[in-house]
Amino acid sequence: GGGTGTFVVLSGLKKYADVDLSAIITVADSGGSTGRLRDEFGFLPVGDLRQSLAALALENSQSWIRDLLLYRFSTGLGLKGHNLGNLILTALQDMAGSTPKALEIAGKIFRLQGHIYPSTLTNVQLVTTYADGSQLTGEHHLDNPKYGGKAIQGIALKPSAKIYPLAASAIKNANLIIIGPGDLYGSLLPNLIVTGAAAAFKSTPAKIVYIVNLMTHFSQTNGLTAADHVRVISQTMDRHPDIVILNTGRIPHPLVTAYASQYEYPVADDLPHTRQIIRGNFVAASKLLRHDQRKLTQ
């Protein structure tokens, strides 16, 4: 995956000593600090990689390492809006000459409790095709409310890209694969459409778990139900998830109201009642709407 959803999953699972984690992360993002650095330096975007780095870094009792990697400058000419973790990873790419080497060095510096792999080493842009036939290039458009409510027909990578061999190996040798939570078209599918990903999913003996998002996203999944999410994931990776995790817990009214003002709503449960569907209250009790790390990890 990528972004805050993957951060929650990794942060929880790393607490288990007998779990060997490998995070496979999208490199199609193009907005914000990541987009600026990508345009200026020409390296693979680092925003989602940095989230995983922060999640897997060995923390001290006060979480300074994690906070440092997630710190965002609010002032400063040229620095405002940039994330410190993004700057560190960009510097490491420049010094090491490649993203894999930069992540290897970062793993030693921050004593990662796991591995981080980009889904591809190709510098790709995300191309979104809508049901009306129009197209937009750039992952950042998927967060633009200007295009909200439009049904997405599919996405593609430009140029076409092959899966990073170590990412493919991690999939093939896994015992369990977790997809999500995260933006369906912005964070999850870009990992699944790289050439070689479907073959890796077909050959792995691992069970696949898909965590459905808590809310719809107006400019990506407007009106999509839980079954719609599962269908898109299944069609893209050419394999149905073995287990689906779906929140059925109550979301606090103030958060529901805040999201509704942006035309975003709880994902409707229209999945069958089988043992393969795990329902429960997975909502974190906080000001931000997130999956509960402890419940989700358990």
Side-chain angles (χ1 to χ4, degrees):
T4 55
T6 299
F7 177 88
V8 170
V9 172
L10 293 176
S11 297
L13 288 177
K14 80 171 183 182
K15 297 174 183 177
Y16 289 79
D18 57 343
V19 174
D20 181 16
L21 294 171
S22 295
I24 300 173
I25 305 300
T26 176
V27 287
D29 47 327
S30 60
S33 168
T34 295
R36 288 164 60 188
L37 291 171
R38 178 178 186 168
D39 290 343
E40 289 178 30
F41 289 90
F43 299 134
L44 291 182
V46 296
D48 289 330
L49 296 171
R50 177 256 310 165
Q51 288 268 15
S52 295
L53 188 66
L56 291 178
L58 184 64
E59 300 176 41
N60 58 29
S61 60
Q62 295 180 315
S63 303
W64 281 108
I65 294 296
R66 183 192 64 197
D67 294 343
L68 187 69
L69 289 167
L70 297 177
Y71 176 80
R72 188 177 298 276
F73 292 92
S74 58
T75 59
L77 183 64
L79 282 176
K80 185 176 181 180
H82 271 309
N83 183 284
L84 183 57
N86 289 352
L87 295 176
I88 291 172
L89 277 176
T90 299
L92 285 174
Q93 287 183 109
D94 193 28
M95 296 166 66
S98 73
T99 301
K101 186 64 177 177
L103 289 170
E104 179 185 337
I105 296 170
K108 295 176 181 177
I109 293 173
F110 297 106
R111 300 167 65 188
L112 292 195
Q113 297 174 269
H115 307 278
I116 303 172
Y117 303 124
S119 56
T120 181
L121 298 186
T122 304
N123 200 336
V124 295
Q125 289 285 354
L126 194 67
V127 180
T128 304
T129 301
Y130 294 91
D132 62 6
S134 61
Q135 286 189 333
L136 287 174
T137 298
E139 177 270 343
H140 60 282
H141 291 300
L142 291 175
D143 287 324
N144 190 337
K146 175 182 177 181
Y147 306 108
K150 294 183 65 174
I152 295 176
Q153 180 176 309
I155 61 169
L157 299 177
K158 182 180 180 181
S160 60
K162 293 181 179 180
I163 190 170
Y164 178 43
L166 290 182
S169 178
I171 292 171
K172 293 175 182 177
N173 295 312
N175 300 115
L176 187 72
I177 295 171
I178 302 169
I179 300 175
D183 286 344
L184 184 62
Y185 289 100
S187 295
L188 306 187
L189 296 193
N191 295 297
L192 307 182
I193 62 175
V194 293
T195 302
F201 283 117
K202 279 188 175 182
S203 64
T204 183
K207 286 189 178 297
I208 297 179
V209 176
Y210 170 49
I211 305 171
V212 181
N213 291 343
L214 298 172
M215 308 291 283
T216 59
H217 192 317
F218 184 49
S219 54
Q220 291 191 43
T221 55
N222 183 53
L224 296 193
T225 65
D228 292 327
H229 283 73
V230 174
R231 172 182 51 80
V232 173
I233 287 287
S234 301
Q235 290 176 347
T236 304
M237 69 177 179
D238 198 21
R239 174 174 169 176
H240 199 279
D242 298 282
I243 298 167
V244 175
I245 297 178
L246 178 67
N247 175 65
T248 53
R250 178 182 174 275
I251 297 173
H253 182 70
L255 288 174
V256 172
T257 301
Y259 273 80
S261 68
Q262 305 297 318
Y263 308 104
E264 298 179 351
Y265 308 95
V267 175
D269 177 10
D270 59 344
L271 292 170
H273 287 269
T274 67
R275 293 177 61 187
Q276 286 72 42
I277 312 297
I278 299 177
R279 292 174 168 87
N281 180 9
F282 299 109
V283 177
S286 67
K287 295 180 180 179
L288 295 175
L289 185 55
R290 298 282 186 268
H291 279 84
D292 185 284
Q293 183 188 113
R294 182 183 60 83
K295 295 176 182 177
L296 194 59
T297 302
Q298 291 175 344

